[in-house]
Amino acid sequence: MDRARRPRSVLAVLTAALLAVPGVTALSSAARAADADVATNGGFESGLTGWTCTAGTTVGSPVHSGAAALQATPAGSDNAQCGQTVTVQPNAQYTLSGYVRGSYVYLGASGTGTTDVSAWTQSAPDWQRLSTTFRTGAATTRVTIYTHGWYGTGAYQADDITLVGPGGSGTGQPPAAPAGLRTTSVTSSSVGLSWSAVTGATSYAVYRDGVKTQTVTGTSATVSGLTASTAYGFQVTAANDAGESAKSTAVTATTSAGTGGGGSGGLPAHALVGYLHASFANGAGYTRLADVPDSWDVIDLAFGEPTSVTSGDIRFNRCPVTECPNAESDADFKAAVKAKQAAGKKVLISIGGQNGQVQLTTTAARDAFVSSVSNIIDTYGLDGLDIDFEGHSLSLNANDTDFRNPTTPVIVNLISALKTLKAKYGSKFVLTMAPETFFVQNGYQYYGTGKWGGQDPRCGAYLPVIHALRDDLTLLHVQDYNSGPIMGLDNQYHSMGGADFHIAMTDMLLTGFPVAGDQNNVFPPLRPDQVAIGMPASTNAGNGYVSPSEVTKALDCLTKRTNCGSYATHGTWPALRGLMTWSVNWDRYANWEFQKNFDAYFG
C-alpha cells in the first residue's frame, strides 16, 4: 500500500488439381489421391480447436472465407504464436499455405526432420497468401505448423491454413465429435460428465465454458474446483494422433448451493473492506479506530513491516503522536479493537505495503515471520492478517514453472508460514490477500521468466500462494488500480477507468484461467464469497478511481448479469463478497462516498 496514496503498484479448400509447373513431372493419379490437407481446423470454424495459442482468439471479421479467422496480438516478449502438431509420413513432400493480414506475420513448420521452413510478409493490409514447402526426414512422423506475429506490431489475422501432402500413418484423420454428453452428478463444487465412445479416439478433452480443463482416456470425467450456485457450459472433443475433433454439443449444469467453505471468517454475505492508516500519516489525515463507521466489516491495520527485507521479523508500530497528534493511546486502541469485534467486525494486521518488502528466503525467516506476526495478533487481540506483499517481495526462480508445485523459497516459505498461522488460530482465523493485477491476472499471459526466459520473474507470482491456500483463504481482493492494461479472458486488453476493467478482472478470478496460455495448466476459480473487488476510495487515493455509477455497473454485471458493457462474463455470482478500498482514511477525506455507495447497493 502506498503510504502517500494507495497500494501500488493467432480451409481454404485446395484446388481440385495442382497448377502445372513447367519442368516438373506431373503427379500420377495415385499420388494425387494420396495427398490431402492434413491440418485440423485450418479455417478456425471450430474456434481454436486443434490449435495451441499463447495469445489468440477467433473473430467473425475480418475473415478470408467462412465465418471465422484467427486473431492474435503479440505483447511484451510474446509473439502470439498459434500452432498445431500434425501427423505426417517420413520422406514425403508437403506444401504449407495460408492467408494472413497484418505486419510481420509468419507461417512456418518446425520439426520437419530436414530443414525447418517459414514464409512471412512485412506488411499485408489485406489478405495475402503465404506458402512454403518442405520434405520430411526419414524418421519424421509429426510436424508442428504455426503462425505468429512480431513483438509490438499489433494484432494479426490468419485463415484457411492448409498442409497438403500424404496423410500420416495410423488413423489418417481426427475422430468424429463425441455424442451423448450428459451430466452424471452435480455438487456445489463439481460436475460429473459422461459421453459415448468415439471410434478411433485415443483420448478426450473436456472444456468448461470454452476453456480446456482436463484430458482423459475414458468416457467420463469430473470437473472440480467450481463455484457454488453457478451455471457452467461443458463440451468434449475426441482426439488421436491425427488431431482433435470438433467440440460436442454443449450441456449446461448449475452447481448446488454451497455452505460457504472453510475460512469464511464469519463475515456478512456482503462485506466492505478498508485499510486504516494506523502506522503513518499522510494527506488523508489520521482516523481513530473507534471512529471508523460500522459500515466497514473488515478493517486492515496498515502496516506491519519487517525489520529488514529478509529477516521475516515483522513489527507493527502505531503512528506516534508527533506524526499523528490525534492518535489514541495503546489502551484505547486495544479497547477499540474489542468494541469492533463485539459489533461483529474483523480487525486484521496487514503486512507489507509499498515500503514493507518481505522476502522469506530461509526457513529461519519463515519461523521469525510466524513468531512475530503471532505476537502482533496476540498483543492487540486481532482476528487475523492480510498479505499485501508488493514490489519485489514475491518473485519466481527461472526453473519454477508450475504454480501448483512451486519450488522458489520465498513462495514455499510464505505458504508454509500462512498454513502454520491458520493451524495455530483455527477456523475463525481470517486470512486475506491484496495482490496487484501484475501478480495475478497477468499470469494469464505470462508466468515467471517464461519458457524462453527474459520475462519479469514476478509476473503471476501470487498464483501459487493463492492456489495453495484456497481452502484457507477468507478473501482475495486484488488491487484493480495503479495497473497497466491487462488481457482478459476475451483476449482483449482492458484498462483502468471504468466498470469494464473491474468486470474483466473479477471474471478471471471467478472463472479460472490457463496460466501463461497453457490449456493444460489452469488456475481454478475461487468461490464468489472469497472475492472482493479492490478500488481506490477517491481520486486522491490512487490511479484507477471510478465513480459510484461505474462501481454500480460492475456489481450489477457480476452479481445480476445486467448493466454489462463490452465484456461478456462467464457466469453470474450473486454471492460475490463485496468491495475493498484503499482506504478508510481517504474515504473519510472524500465525505464517505465509497462507503455510502456500498451501503446503498447492498442495503
Side-chain angles (χ1 to χ4, degrees):
M1 306 285 176
D2 189 331
R3 290 172 178 253
R5 295 169 65 86
R6 53 96 221 165
R8 289 182 308 190
S9 67
V10 160
L11 145 75
V13 177
L14 180 67
T15 53
L18 294 172
L19 295 175
V21 178
V24 177
T25 302
L27 292 173
S28 68
S29 59
R32 285 196 297 269
D35 283 346
D37 178 13
V38 296
T40 299
N41 188 31
F44 301 96
E45 303 302 314
S46 298
L48 295 180
T49 298
W51 295 88
T52 298
C53 303
T54 61
T57 188
T58 54
V59 294
S61 178
V63 299
H64 177 257
S65 72
L70 167 71
Q71 178 167 295
T73 306
S77 60
D78 177 28
N79 60 12
Q81 177 166 306
C82 280
Q84 69 170 262
T85 301
V86 181
T87 303
V88 295
Q89 290 189 14
N91 290 322
Q93 189 75 15
Y94 289 88
T95 298
L96 174 64
S97 66
Y99 290 83
V100 300
R101 293 175 80 254
S103 299
Y104 294 93
V105 192
Y106 290 72
L107 178 67
S110 62
T112 63
T114 54
T115 301
D116 291 351
V117 296
S118 66
W120 68 287
T121 178
Q122 180 175 347
S123 178
D126 204 351
W127 291 105
Q128 178 178 331
R129 183 175 185 268
L130 298 179
S131 182
T132 185
T133 63
F134 62 88
R135 189 169 187 85
T136 54
T140 302
T141 59
R142 295 172 73 82
V143 167
T144 298
I145 61 174
Y146 63 84
T147 182
H148 67 70
W150 201 248
Y151 313 103
T153 56
Y156 73 88
Q157 293 83 35
D159 202 0
D160 298 335
I161 297 175
T162 63
L163 181 63
V164 177
S169 58
T171 60
Q173 61 182 5
L181 177 63
R182 64 186 183 90
T183 60
T184 58
S185 63
V186 178
T187 72
S188 63
S189 61
S190 67
V191 171
L193 302 167
S194 71
W195 55 92
S196 301
V198 178
T199 302
T202 57
S203 65
Y204 301 90
V206 179
Y207 288 80
R208 172 179 54 78
D209 293 329
V211 177
K212 183 187 291 187
T213 60
Q214 57 184 288
T215 300
V216 297
T217 56
T219 57
S220 64
T222 298
V223 182
S224 57
L226 304 181
T227 298
S229 304
T230 303
Y232 294 93
F234 300 95
Q235 292 172 287
V236 179
T237 61
N240 58 25
D241 284 344
E244 188 176 7
S245 74
K247 294 175 183 174
S248 69
T249 301
V251 298
T252 301
T254 300
T255 52
S256 58
T259 60
S264 61
L267 298 179
H270 300 293
L272 181 61
V273 183
Y275 287 80
L276 183 68
H277 309 177
S279 64
F280 63 93
N282 63 10
Y286 185 84
T287 300
R288 294 163 59 99
L289 178 57
D291 295 333
V292 176
D294 286 343
S295 296
W296 301 89
D297 301 293
V298 180
I299 303 166
D300 292 325
L301 304 177
F303 291 102
E305 299 179 356
T307 55
S308 68
V309 172
T310 59
S311 71
D313 184 11
I314 307 299
R315 304 295 174 91
F316 175 50
N317 298 311
R318 295 188 53 243
C319 190
V321 293
T322 54
E323 185 179 348
C324 303
N326 60 325
E328 63 271 64
S329 67
D330 279 352
D332 286 346
F333 188 83
K334 292 176 182 178
V337 171
K338 293 184 182 298
K340 289 298 178 185
Q341 293 168 334
K345 312 306 177 183
K346 306 298 178 183
V347 186
L348 315 181
I349 180 64
S350 181
I351 309 297
Q354 173 191 343
N355 295 341
Q357 304 291 294
V358 182
Q359 296 175 2
L360 304 184
T361 56
T362 64
T363 55
R366 175 200 65 193
D367 296 343
F369 183 88
V370 171
S371 176
S372 58
V373 170
S374 296
N375 183 58
I376 296 169
I377 292 173
D378 295 343
T379 298
Y380 293 96
L382 305 179
D383 297 286
L385 82 154
D386 170 73
I387 299 299
D388 181 25
F389 286 12
E390 300 180 18
H392 291 270
S393 292
L394 296 184
S395 182
L396 293 159
N397 288 348
N399 61 348
D400 195 346
T401 59
D402 183 1
F403 76 91
R404 297 163 298 191
N405 298 287
T407 58
T408 304
V410 295
I411 305 292
V412 173
N413 289 332
L414 177 60
I415 293 169
S416 176
L418 296 179
K419 284 186 174 291
T420 299
L421 287 165
K422 177 68 177 180
K424 176 179 180 178
Y425 291 101
S427 60
K428 294 183 179 180
F429 184 74
V430 178
L431 175 62
T432 68
M433 298 182 190
E436 297 162 291
T437 56
F438 182 83
F439 295 94
V440 184
Q441 289 95 334
N442 211 38
Y444 176 50
Q445 276 191 287
Y446 311 108
Y447 187 70
T449 59
K451 295 179 181 179
W452 300 280
Q455 296 174 188
D456 193 320
R458 299 173 298 165
C459 188
Y462 249 95
L463 294 177
V465 181
I466 298 168
H467 184 66
L469 291 154
R470 60 174 56 243
D471 292 337
D472 301 309
L473 183 63
T474 309
L475 275 179
L476 176 71
H477 30 65
V478 176
Q479 301 175 29
D480 287 1
Y481 41 89
N482 267 30
S483 168
I486 303 292
M487 180 177 286
L489 296 182
D490 57 354
N491 290 325
Q492 303 298 314
Y493 284 98
H494 298 269
S495 300
M496 300 183 304
D500 178 80
F501 186 70
H502 297 295
I503 293 167
M505 295 302 98
T506 307
D507 180 66
M508 296 179 77
L509 301 176
L510 297 173
T511 302
F513 53 88
V515 176
D518 185 350
Q519 298 288 350
N520 295 311
N521 194 27
V522 175
F523 177 79
L526 294 166
R527 304 189 316 265
D529 64 277
Q530 290 179 295
V531 176
I533 311 173
M535 303 176 173
S538 69
T539 54
N540 302 93
N543 295 325
Y545 167 79
V546 296
S547 67
S549 63
E550 292 298 302
V551 177
T552 296
K553 285 181 183 179
L555 291 172
D556 279 348
C557 184
L558 291 163
T559 65
K560 305 173 184 177
R561 219 169 192 173
T562 62
N563 213 8
C564 297
S566 60
Y567 184 90
T569 64
H570 292 75
T572 308
W573 303 280
L576 180 74
R577 184 64 75 179
L579 302 177
M580 173 276 278
T581 193
W582 178 263
S583 60
V584 174
N585 305 64
W586 281 117
D587 195 36
R588 179 186 182 188
Y589 186 85
N591 195 31
W592 302 115
E593 177 188 82
F594 196 89
Q595 170 201 306
K596 291 174 181 176
N597 191 49
F598 176 88
D599 289 344
Y601 192 88
F602 288 111

